[in-house]
Amino acid sequence: MFTSAHLYPCRYATLGQADFFAPVEPRGLNHPRLIHLNQPLADHFGLGGADFTPDNFLHYLADKRLPEGVQPLACAYSGHQFGVFNPQLGDGRAMLLGEFADPQGERWEFQLKGSGPTPYSRGFDGRAVLRSVIREYLASEAMAGLGIPTTRALCVVDSDTPVFREEVESASMMIRVAPSHLRFGSFEHFYARQEYDRLRQLADFCIEHYFPDLAERKDRYAAWFETVVVRTAKLIAQWQAVGFCHGVMNTDNFSILGLTIDYGPYGFLETYDPKHICNHSDHQGRYAFELQPRMALWNCYCLAQALTPLVDKAALQAALDRYDPVLQKHYLERMRAKLGLWQAGPTQEQIDEALVAALFQLMQAQQLDYSRFFRGLCAYVDSGDTNEWLLQQGERGPIEAWLADYRLRLEEEPDADRANKMRRENPKYVLRNYLAQQAIDAAKEGDNRLVDQLLTLLQAPFDEHPQFEPFSAAAPEWAADLCVSCSS
Ligand code: AMP
Ligand code: MG
């Protein structure tokens, strides 16, 4: 598939097989066919050229011929799922193939998702269906396009191999890449088993490879945990500002690097609703949009508990105490940037916090579309009172009242280039569920053009793409009942 010059054995394998992972062999696919290759990403990683071609990859999926010396492996982990600890999770339908070095010398893990059962499959089939793979493919690239830390996706393949869900579907695969796929649950795994030597070994491995600046510090475990907490807080601030709902914020789906990982029944806010639950299996609303910041902190507490054999409790608590202030600071910064406000200072921040809160009240009362309203605001800033579009989105009076306050605030901070700067903060294109669904429906019929077009848009979501203007529209009525759950 790749020349061995590119694909190295995983560094994770140096931890030793017992308990950390299991060597596995991928199951092949009947008549694999490429749905999409993420060419810009392949180019970025220096994977263009003869050693990484769709043909090579498809050949590999059919014949499972890896370069010599490469041993795929499935990683063990545990995790809190919807608040309940599950000691037996792990890569049930994914496997690390190896690592490659990008032109800057950074190593990236290559993970095949949907490649058949592993010792961690718990009786499930280890497969992924086309709809879930396309959804992950588009979402991770959409997040990257928005500048939000995430795993990336390199290609999607469909096949004639049948998979049984509510109905018969086709088995699909994708290649996911990330510097590391380690999760909070990877550490909880060894804590729960009271294997504290292994816990330390994993923490040392993680710090050495992914947090090397901390490796020499005496308090390195505490400093590392604090860094994870801070990264998580910043990540969640970005999710909230862009209106991203993850859907399954279990600790096994929380990256130790602070990446968005494991896209299942996610959603981007369309009509603004802080109580929005994107996962139809989440009956309690545990992961409702407005609860995401709390839930991520709860996950940090789980990780803290798992690290108690390595770090004293006061240091863990001190790190956890940083979560709220970091989250609030970054969230306000992001929201102010969306409004075209950058001037800092405590008084200013208080005023802007109130302005943002009032905007959310307005959005909720008027049922405004989250992304479209913010993008519309850019045009409003360009043309001032003459922009009618915003006022037509709901009742005129309340929108005008908020805009009046907003205008006053803008006058305090004159900026001739504000609208353009705001357009770099407020995407024109977001991955609405109906768009993903249309791309999936077309791909099932053998037409991959929509996947291709959406990917192009989502990788540059702040730009105008006049030929794709309809993709910036709100969902049509037929999409109101679209429902997404964990079954993938
Ligand atoms: P998720 O919430 O989708 O991240 O998955 C939770 C756990 O279930 C992970 O350990 C997955 O590997 C596993 N899993 C999900 N779907 C399958 C499947 N079709 N076959 C085997 N394991 C699966
Ligand atoms: Mg998962």
Side-chain angles (χ1 to χ4, degrees):
M1 175 171 49
F2 317 103
T3 58
S4 42
H6 263 115
L7 202 63
Y8 299 93
C10 289
R11 285 170 294 175
Y12 189 79
T14 62
L15 286 164
Q17 183 176 326
D19 296 334
F20 287 104
F21 64 89
V24 283
E25 292 299 331
R27 287 261 169 97
L29 291 175
N30 296 332
H31 302 115
R33 50 187 176 272
L34 189 74
I35 297 289
H36 206 267
L37 170 69
N38 187 350
Q39 194 64 55
L41 187 69
D43 292 344
H44 174 77
F45 288 139
L47 287 170
D51 54 335
F52 183 82
T53 65
D55 278 356
N56 280 351
F57 181 57
L58 293 177
H59 196 249
Y60 160 74
L61 288 181
D63 296 349
K64 297 171 284 160
R65 254 190 263 129
L66 272 171
E68 208 155 305
V70 172
Q71 170 61 67
L73 52 97
C75 299
Y77 52 82
S78 304
H80 279 84
Q81 296 181 304
F82 291 90
V84 180
F85 185 66
N86 186 339
Q88 275 306 335
L89 293 170
D91 290 334
R93 54 169 171 173
M95 51 192 65
L96 296 176
L97 294 180
E99 293 182 341
F100 67 94
D102 68 16
Q104 289 73 44
E106 296 267 330
R107 292 275 203 108
W108 292 75
E109 287 180 350
F110 249 66
Q111 194 190 57
L112 201 54
K113 192 163 177 183
S115 44
T118 76
Y120 311 116
S121 295
R122 299 176 291 145
F124 299 112
D125 58 10
R127 291 299 197 186
V129 294
L130 186 62
R131 60 186 155 85
S132 80
V133 163
I134 290 181
R135 280 177 56 82
E136 170 152 5
Y137 188 70
L138 292 174
S140 54
E141 289 311 294
M143 292 296 260
L146 292 165
I148 301 177
T150 177
T151 57
R152 302 294 303 270
L154 195 56
C155 58
V156 171
V157 170
D158 195 18
S159 76
D160 288 344
T161 303
V163 175
F164 301 91
R165 296 292 183 263
E166 280 88 18
E167 55 185 15
V168 179
E169 300 188 49
S170 56
S172 307
M173 286 193 204
M174 63 176 268
I175 292 188
R176 178 159 79 175
V177 297
S180 168
H181 290 79
L182 278 172
R183 299 132 194 279
F184 285 17
S186 312
F187 298 87
E188 290 176 276
H189 188 68
F190 295 103
Y191 172 72
R193 294 156 66 116
Q194 300 185 356
E195 294 177 355
Y196 302 145
D197 287 347
R198 296 228 160 94
L199 176 70
R200 185 180 298 272
Q201 202 189 335
L202 188 61
D204 285 340
F205 170 84
C206 182
I207 293 169
E208 178 191 344
H209 293 293
Y210 307 113
F211 300 82
D213 297 351
L214 308 177
E216 299 306 319
R217 282 174 61 159
K218 269 211 189 90
D219 63 345
R220 63 184 176 284
Y221 300 122
W224 163 60
F225 176 66
E226 184 178 336
T227 309
V228 175
V229 170
V230 167
R231 280 197 198 180
T232 303
K234 288 183 182 172
L235 178 71
I236 303 303
Q238 286 182 282
W239 286 6
Q240 298 305 112
V242 80
F244 175 75
C245 316
H246 184 281
V248 196
M249 294 171 64
N250 296 336
T251 55
D252 52 305
N253 293 337
F254 254 55
S255 150
I256 204 75
L257 301 188
L259 310 172
T260 315
I261 190 170
D262 280 11
Y263 295 85
Y266 65 82
F268 286 84
L269 281 189
E270 297 185 27
T271 302
Y272 178 73
D273 173 13
K275 304 209 178 306
H276 180 62
I277 304 162
C278 60
N279 177 359
H280 283 246
S281 317
D282 182 7
H283 304 296
Q284 310 291 323
R286 180 181 172 87
Y287 298 133
F289 178 70
E290 68 181 356
L291 297 182
Q292 293 192 129
R294 291 299 88 203
M295 288 299 113
L297 177 60
W298 193 89
N299 289 350
C300 290
Y301 270 89
C302 291
L303 180 62
Q305 180 66 41
L307 298 182
T308 46
L310 305 182
V311 186
D312 73 67
K313 289 203 172 113
L316 290 169
Q317 189 58 55
L320 289 164
D321 289 344
R322 288 206 58 201
Y323 179 89
D324 271 331
V326 170
L327 176 89
Q328 274 161 28
K329 175 175 176 294
H330 281 266
Y331 179 63
L332 185 59
E333 213 169 272
R334 299 264 40 86
M335 293 313 298
R336 294 172 83 234
K338 283 173 86 67
L339 295 177
L341 302 169
W342 282 275
Q343 230 164 58
T347 331
Q348 207 58 271
E349 280 171 14
Q350 261 181 9
I351 293 169
D352 293 348
E353 227 169 335
L355 193 66
V356 170
L359 175 57
F360 284 141
Q361 265 177 13
L362 173 76
M363 282 188 152
Q364 194 170 6
Q366 299 296 320
Q367 304 227 313
L368 301 178
D369 183 281
Y370 189 74
S371 305
R372 282 167 61 79
F373 190 84
F374 275 107
R375 187 72 180 192
L377 215 49
C378 307
Y380 173 81
V381 164
D382 246 351
S383 52
D385 285 342
T386 60
N387 186 302
E388 272 292 310
W389 186 88
L390 276 184
L391 300 172
Q392 290 162 1
Q393 300 307 300
E395 277 176 78
R396 217 181 156 91
I399 299 178
E400 254 172 354
W402 183 84
L403 285 174
D405 287 343
Y406 179 49
R407 250 190 335 266
L408 283 177
R409 175 64 184 88
L410 295 183
E411 281 163 17
E412 290 170 14
E413 195 180 323
D415 184 343
D417 197 33
R418 188 187 326 266
N420 281 331
K421 287 189 201 154
M422 284 171 68
R423 287 194 187 93
R424 310 310 302 164
E425 301 288 342
N426 295 298
K428 167 123 186 180
Y429 298 95
V430 286
L431 181 56
R432 294 167 189 274
N433 262 338
Y434 84 94
L435 293 173
Q437 192 58 46
Q438 283 178 331
I440 291 163
D441 292 343
K444 278 186 177 164
E445 298 299 318
D447 179 354
N448 304 323
R449 281 175 302 178
L450 205 45
V451 174
D452 187 60
Q453 288 166 357
L454 281 180
L455 202 77
T456 307
L457 286 179
L458 297 170
Q459 286 177 334
F462 301 107
D463 297 348
E464 297 286 335
H465 300 266
Q467 73 278 33
F468 295 125
E469 189 72 23
F471 291 119
S472 67
E477 258 168 45
W478 64 261
D481 298 329
L482 267 184
C483 93
V484 192
S485 73
C486 280
S487 152
S488 60

